[in-house]
Amino acid sequence: MTFLRRIFPFLRWWNFLGWDTVRADLMAGLTGAIIVLPQGVAFAMIAGLPPEYGLYTAIVVPLVAALFGSSLHLISGPTTAISIVIFSSLSPMAEPGSAEFIRLALTLTFLAGIFQLIFGLARMGILVNFVSHSVIVGFTAGAAILIATSQLRHVFGIRMAGSESFFADWLNIIGAISSINPYALMVAAGTLCCAVLFKIYRPRWPGLLIAMIIGSLIGLFLGAESHGIRLMEGLPGRLPPFSMPDISLDTIRELAPKAFPVALIGLIEALSIARSIAANSRQLIDGNQEFIGQGVSNICGSFFSCYAGSGSFTRSGINYHAGAMTPLSAVFSAVFLAMILLLVAPLTEYLPIPAMGGVILLVAFSLIDFHHIRVIVRTSKQEAAILLTTFAATLIFDLEFAIYAGVLMSLFLYLSRTAHPEVVNLIPDPDAPAQLIAQEDSRCPAFKIIRVDGSLFFGAVNHVVEFLQSIDKHLPCKCHLLIVACGINFIDITGAEMLVNEARRRRGLRGDLYLCGLKQNARDVLERGGYLDNIGADHIFSSETEAIAQILSTIDNPECRTCRSPLFKECENRE
Amino acid sequence: MSIVTISRGSYSRGKEIAEKLAGILGYECISREIILEASEQFNIPEIKLVRAIHDAPSVLDRFSYGKERYIAFFRAAFLKRLQNDNLIYHGLAGHAFLQKIPHILKVRIIANLDDRVTEEVKRENISAEQARHMLVRDDAERRKWSMALYGLDTWDQRFYDVTLHLDTMRVADAVSTIIHVLQRPCFQTTPQSLEMLDDLSLIAQVEAALVRDFPKAKADAVKGVVYLSIRGSLVDEKRITAQVNRLVENVAGVKKVNVNIVPHLIED
């Protein structure tokens, strides 16, 4: 059974089902289906695909991801970030909305799914942990600005050619400001106002859907088509049709580099949302299983006319807050959406594109996480730099480059942090001499105590050596050094050799090196490599008190004899 | 001061043993009355209760919790009655509810299938083949019921203190053996064992009060303090807690209620 549960993870929660959970999931599923309807259409437009592809993605992808993923509440499907990455990746290769563009999008989805599945099977879920929250926040904020910019032409009713550059888009818009269509602007503004009001006053209502209906009514009232307002094409009222991604070697070679960032963004998005909701629902998320779920859903989706999907924060949040208890809510949502698609699809031809633009503006605004931006800027300059870099890279360069830039910067800062372990000077606490406290420097002329907070590995050795040598520069008589090693979690061979060299150097200076509070695994490394013999097994102590007593009893420094204000209580008893 | 439960298959002469035992000890002998009491107390049709404690749950019952609901009512009435002490219960489900109570003597009566068939033919005026078919089906249904709801096999001797085979002894011998066993100190009611029975009864009353709205509610109780595990979304924690408190506040013996929301169950 355990084997079966590993292959079919839905068996893990199957026994939890009952009429109460099914009822809760039905209600949450219905809410989700209504929410995703406008989003699916909007996101497909962002991705440069016909609107029905967004809905197909909102039907197939969440269903498969829910059954094969780990999170009980994550709702997958079309998302803004992935939509915009798909658009920016494929638009140089084919005309958005064309058959060629669709073929490439399906193949990209298939390849992204394969990447995600491989990541999951290879148990690489841990890698996503290296993408910091600041990267996600910066990237999402940048993507939100790009999305909003891409919709301004629809909102203003301006006819202009699309460009590949964010700044060029703005220049085009400013240049065309005199040709704004006031009717299109009225429809967009009316829709946006409604959506905002619903979001504020009735957050649990399907505000986007109602706003779009109101936008359509405004369009009808104004006589949309006679005033040059473009209307959407009617959606085909059918279930996701079977499709075949192009799995030829040439296409794979061409698209694989573009599929990789789609896979990466999808996984980061899905896992961070799943974890964020799990923090409230007290569920433990299995990152690798979530990867597998996302991968399988995108692979399956590519055979059912779906483009790449991932976890949606809005829909997952609504799903959880609507009382969903199991992934069946995603299944119900997909079924309801399929029914809605069959019944009301033709009505979408009354939907003015500016109304859709207004809705997308709100969606884009909602993506900007102002709260976390404030927290990051206030808390850490390094994190703020990562955020700003990712944000700027999103606007200026390709989206995948922005993610890589953010990830690389995060990794660089992480490595930099671990390569610079904190080294703290310690002295006895004047109020409780048995305790050591951190203080700038001590007045003891012969003996120094430091604590190293971090691992002694090849990357950190240089920093520690610099610190140790700086002691002699400023205080040449302090030749006896005790390292409190309780903060050293790991020592590698380079670290161990550094300790041996330091011990030798100090002996040459008429001092010595001592260690106390060494963790067992660090001690094992020193023992196995024979380093302990060089440092001296009797130079390793279990506690600071024992170490200080032993070391001070052996120190015979001429300055100690004339010391009038000993720092250590052990010195007071010396003759 | 003792309680005896007698579990038996149909026409295994368990009723006869129970009645004789009650007569000798001067104890009350109960069986189907519990169903009537539960039916009256919780205002539900008797036939539904009978089916609930006899037939194994169907696939549909798994989702509707119909069976669990009726069993909760039966269990509440049964345990409340047991608090009176000095009684013999013979019939369905008794041993399943009392596994945790040490001083209750749990007896299993086994009879030869041929003897049971003869007895049924005599009483029901049916053919031997029909009787045999009915008895086999009945036994299988009982095992399925117990397995489905409690994971207990009614034929597993570990769940009984004593198993008596009527193939090798008469009814009087069986009664005498039970009386002899009942004299042992471990089967005498003590203040501690009575307290355990009171807690178990309170758990059953609380679960019966909740079963209509929260069929999967699991209760535990210690001296009137009730600990409830209710499955539901944490988003609804306040509403569920308020509703549970409202439903449980009138159950006699409840001093305090602690509600723990169980939002999910993931089995590895």
Side-chain angles (χ1 to χ4, degrees), chain A residues 88-130:
Chain A
S88 69
S89 303
L90 301 182
S91 55
M93 299 169 72
E95 177 65 24
S98 65
E100 175 64 4
F101 191 92
I102 294 168
R103 184 184 68 83
L104 291 174
L106 294 178
T107 310
L108 190 77
T109 302
F110 176 77
L111 291 175
I114 294 282
F115 279 130
Q116 291 174 329
L117 185 62
I118 291 170
F119 288 165
L121 293 175
R123 310 192 71 74
M124 289 163 79
I126 197 168
L127 284 184
V128 170
N129 296 344
F130 288 97

Side-chain angles (χ1 to χ4, degrees), chain A residues 175-196:
Chain A
I177 209 136
S178 55
S179 58
I180 286 176
N181 181 341
Y183 295 98
L185 188 58
M186 277 167 73
V187 171
T191 312
L192 180 61
C193 286
C194 286
V196 170

Side-chain angles (χ1 to χ4, degrees), chain A residues 2 5 11-22 70 72 280-283 320-321 323-325, chain B residues 62-65 69 211-213 215-216 231-237 260-268:
Chain A
T2 312
R5 280 178 184 150
L11 293 176
R12 292 179 181 175
W13 45 264
W14 192 252
N15 283 337
F16 192 63
L17 294 184
W19 67 264
D20 50 342
T21 64
V22 170
S70 158
L72 295 173
N280 293 320
S281 69
R282 298 183 205 154
Q283 193 206 339
Y320 177 64
H321 286 286
M325 292 182 69
Chain B
R62 201 185 110 88
F63 286 93
S64 66
Y65 305 122
R69 206 176 301 173
V211 76
R212 282 194 174 97
D213 296 276
K216 281 287 191 184
R231 76 177 194 177
S233 171
L234 285 167
V235 175
D236 292 331
E237 188 167 10
N260 171 42
I261 304 292
V262 182
H264 47 73
L265 167 81
I266 294 172
E267 297 167 325
D268 285 318

Side-chain angles (χ1 to χ4, degrees), chain A residues 132-143:
Chain A
S132 73
H133 187 57
S134 307
V135 173
I136 299 291
V137 173
F139 173 77
T140 317

Side-chain angles (χ1 to χ4, degrees), chain B residues 20 44 47 60:
Chain B
K20 283 206 169 140
I44 39 169
I47 184 70
L60 197 66

Side-chain angles (χ1 to χ4, degrees), chain A residues 34 38 191 194-195 198 205-217:
Chain A
I34 293 169
T191 312
C194 286
F198 274 105
W205 286 29
L208 294 184
L209 187 71
I210 299 172
M212 276 165 57
I213 293 170
I214 291 172
S216 304
L217 292 175

Side-chain angles (χ1 to χ4, degrees), chain A residues 373-389:
Chain A
I373 290 173
R374 259 197 307 272
V375 170
I376 289 166
V377 169
R378 216 182 294 149
T379 315
S380 159
K381 279 182 187 165
Q382 287 187 339
E383 293 289 326
I386 293 172
L387 187 148
L388 268 175
T389 306

